Each structure stands twice: as structure tokens, then as C-alpha cells.
Amino acid sequence: SNYNDGGRWTELALYKTASGKFVCHEEKVTCWQGERHKHKAAVCTTEAEVIAFFGQGRLAKRLYENAEIENIENV
């Protein structure tokens, strides 16, 4: 899923490998002349690392819900 704010949006992707690791990818897309897309990726071994990578934004929370990742912090 993405969010378009007039030519810029973010796309998040999460994959689970056969060995149980997670591949996380974030792409910040732009349609503005002179700007470039930005990418970051990581391989994570736990769901906590996935949450640390993507953070607590609206798109990330939707991704956790779709991936059935429990995103609860005990205080």
C-alpha cells in the first residue's frame, strides 16, 4: 500500500524466506523532476527487528496487521 501526497509516496514490502527470516524493503517514490527514488532494505531474524525497521507509521501498522505480526508494547 502507498500514500500519495502530490507526487511522492512510500511503498513497503515484507517477505518471509524459507528459513524463516524476514526481508524488509521500503521505497520512497517520487514523480518530481530532479528527485530520485530512495530505497532501504534489511534482513531481519525476528518480528521485533521488522518493527524496528519499519517503525510505527500508518502504513507500517497496516503491514503488520496483514502479516499477522503482533505490534504490542508493554509499559
Side-chain angles (χ1 to χ4, degrees), residues 3-73:
Y3 174 76
N4 187 344
D5 72 354
R8 294 183 187 102
W9 64 90
T10 300
E11 296 179 358
L12 305 179
L14 178 65
Y15 307 93
K16 192 167 187 178
T17 67
S19 66
K21 293 182 180 179
F22 299 94
V23 178
C24 304
H25 180 253
E26 178 183 274
E27 180 177 10
K28 294 191 180 281
V29 180
T30 181
C31 293
W32 290 89
Q33 184 175 357
E35 289 185 351
R36 302 185 80 153
H37 299 322
K38 295 179 183 176
H39 301 265
K40 72 176 186 174
V43 176
C44 300
T45 56
T46 67
E47 291 181 356
E49 290 176 0
V50 171
I51 293 169
F53 178 86
F54 287 118
Q56 295 295 330
R58 186 185 56 139
L59 285 177
K61 289 180 180 181
R62 191 176 326 153
L63 179 108
Y64 306 146
E65 182 181 331
N66 290 339
E68 298 180 356
I69 292 176
E70 193 170 288
N71 182 25
I72 296 173
E73 179 180 0

